[in-house]
């Protein structure tokens, strides 16, 4: 073996015996190039590390993009660690067939009693989630009884909140999931990805405490640090108001904009 071959053999052995350093989930989330200015950056990284949220492509999260009802169902199911391994053979909703990418997650959330659809056997696939609907589903997932709490609402736009969601929103204020902005809740505003991440993070912290946290004795709507914005949607259609006042629908609870939430 000549000198060059000997050196090559030594270098090859060194490379093969060296540890291979792979990027971690945390480092990948932190490397999203579009979340540095997001108020929910910490929550986004935390949820990414837990496999609850993912990026769009390899380097972006699109924090201000609207979220659709089916994508929220995925996040909700992952947050609660619902069993999605054995979905039913027949779909619950006409617009979420078994071929839909969110089928198993939607059905798991239905089974858990968190999602009821928008009426007429429809789930509302493609519709962007509203703030009040997001809150409804998160509060259902908390397992607390919100009945009768609507009387504590003090938002300036409380009269614009759908009746089906008032108790849930009041409970969300009590337990620190939301605060509103400048005394407004903006119930029909569409939820963006960063808002969902922030509320999901607060939800997890509440659940980690075993639901033993005491609610505020006098819940008040405090202005949040985040601006109220209606981001330009990347996917999904416009939200329909057709069944928003149905007591058995989710359009009474599509999604709450997490930009409005503070612990």
């Amino acid at each position: 073996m000549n000198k060059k071959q000997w050196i090559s053999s030594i270098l090859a052995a060194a490379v093969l015996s060296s540890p291979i350093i792979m990027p971690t989930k945390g480092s990948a989330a932190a490397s999203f190039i579009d979340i540095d200015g997001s108020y929910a950056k910490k929550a986004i990284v935390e949820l990414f590390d837990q496999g609850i949220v993912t990026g769009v492509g390899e380097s972006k999260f699109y924090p201000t993009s609207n979220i659709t009802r089916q994508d929220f169902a995925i996040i909700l199911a992952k947050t609660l660690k619902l069993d999605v391994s054995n979905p039913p053979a027949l779909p619950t909703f006409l617009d979420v067939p078994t071929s839909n990418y969110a089928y198993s997650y939607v059905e798991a959330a239905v089974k858990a009693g968190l999602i009821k659809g928008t009426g007429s056997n429809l789930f509302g696939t493609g519709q962007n989630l509203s703030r009040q609907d997001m809150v409804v589903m998160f509060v259902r997932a908390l397992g607390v009884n919100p009945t009768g709490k609507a009387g504590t609402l003090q938002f300036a736009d409380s009269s614009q909140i759908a009746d089906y969601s008032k108790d849930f929103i009041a409970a969300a204020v009590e337990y620190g999931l939301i605060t509103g902005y400048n005394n407004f809740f903006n119930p029909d505003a569409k939820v963006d990805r960063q808002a969902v991440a922030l509320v999901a993070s607060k939800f997890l912290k509440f659940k980690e405490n075993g639901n033993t946290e005491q609610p505020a004795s006098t819940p008040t709507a405090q202005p949040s640090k985040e601006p109220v914005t209606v981001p330009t949607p990347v996917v999904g259609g416009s939200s329909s108001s057709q069944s928003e006042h149905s007591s058995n629908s989710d359009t009474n609870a599509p999604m709450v904009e997490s930009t409005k939430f503070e612990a």
Side-chain angles (χ1 to χ4, degrees), residues 64-80:
T64 60
S65 294
N66 290 349
I67 190 167
T68 58
R69 289 173 56 82
Q70 69 269 22
D71 287 341
F72 175 74
I74 293 175
I75 293 176
L76 187 64
K78 287 184 175 180
T79 300
L80 291 170

Side-chain angles (χ1 to χ4, degrees), residues 119-136:
S120 301
N121 291 328
L122 296 175
F123 171 68
T125 297
Q127 296 180 13
N128 293 325
L129 194 63
S130 71
R131 284 171 51 78
Q132 63 184 352
D133 286 349
M134 176 181 72
V135 168
V136 169

Side-chain angles (χ1 to χ4, degrees), residues 83-88 104 111:
D83 181 8
V84 298
S85 63
N86 189 29
S104 60
K111 183 178 180 180

Side-chain angles (χ1 to χ4, degrees), residues 25-72:
K25 283 186 176 182
S27 63
S31 68
F32 285 142
I33 62 176
D34 58 351
I35 65 172
D36 283 344
S38 171
Y39 60 82
K41 178 179 179 179
K42 182 179 179 182
I44 292 169
V45 173
E46 289 175 350
L47 296 183
F48 182 89
D49 288 346
Q50 297 177 56
I52 295 174
V53 301
T54 60
V56 180
E58 295 182 357
S59 61
K60 291 188 176 182
F61 182 75
Y62 289 100
T64 60
S65 294
N66 290 349
I67 190 167
T68 58
R69 289 173 56 82
Q70 69 269 22
D71 287 341
F72 175 74

Side-chain angles (χ1 to χ4, degrees), residues 69 93 110 113-119 122 140 247-250:
R69 289 173 56 82
F93 302 111
V110 169
L114 306 178
I115 289 178
K116 298 181 180 179
T118 60
L122 296 175
R140 283 176 182 163
S247 61
N248 294 319
S249 69
D250 295 320

